[in-house]
Amino acid sequence: MSDFDQMGIVVDWVDACRKGDLTTLLDLYADDAELECICSGSRRHRGRSEIEGYWSPRISAFSSAGFRLEEIHPAPDGVDLEYSVAGALRIRASFRFCPEGKIRSMLCEPARQTAQIGRAC
């Protein structure tokens, strides 16, 4: 069991996305974190600069379109989250953490969609 609040870190992640706060979002990741997005083909981003390159064009679009938490629950090794963008595009994200309380890895993939589909993650 970790001595930090994994769910709280993910809620902070959601809040940073809602606000379009790239600096706060990046600070939640470990320096050597890995983000894998399989929403439109599998692509891995490693380290702060690659993760910044991934999030930089997305975060302002997500926050202005409307970023909403749909579901959040503990997983065996972290936290699983489902969120929506613009009330329609649903994305599932799985977070795993390092002992220091930072996001070690994140995997995002499409979740159950409404009729208005798009690829934005």
Side-chain angles (χ1 to χ4, degrees):
M1 180 92 175
S2 64
D3 60 348
F4 58 91
D5 182 4
Q6 294 180 356
M7 295 282 275
I9 293 168
V10 175
V11 169
D12 289 347
W13 183 92
V14 169
D15 288 342
C17 289
R18 282 183 177 150
K19 293 174 186 172
D21 186 346
L22 181 61
T23 300
T24 298
L25 182 73
L26 293 173
D27 287 345
L28 296 170
Y29 289 91
D31 290 338
D32 61 347
E34 183 175 287
L35 185 158
E36 181 177 5
C37 179
I38 58 174
C39 294
S40 57
S42 185
R43 175 100 198 273
R44 288 188 184 192
H45 308 272
R46 291 183 180 94
R48 186 178 178 104
S49 65
E50 286 188 23
I51 291 173
E52 181 176 10
Y54 172 83
W55 276 116
S56 189
R58 291 170 176 80
I59 193 162
S60 62
F62 278 20
S63 66
S64 59
F67 188 98
R68 186 171 76 191
L69 186 145
E70 298 292 342
E71 295 180 29
I72 186 171
H73 54 86
D77 295 322
V79 175
D80 289 339
L81 165 74
E82 190 169 308
Y83 63 92
S84 62
V85 177
L89 177 68
R90 290 178 72 114
I91 299 164
R92 182 176 309 116
S94 296
F95 296 84
R96 302 304 176 256
F97 301 89
C98 63
E100 297 78 27
K102 298 275 190 172
I103 299 168
R104 180 189 72 220
S105 66
M106 178 187 164
L107 169 67
C108 66
E109 61 188 349
R112 178 179 44 91
Q113 304 295 320
T114 62
Q116 302 151 346
I117 307 261
R119 289 184 183 169
C121 76

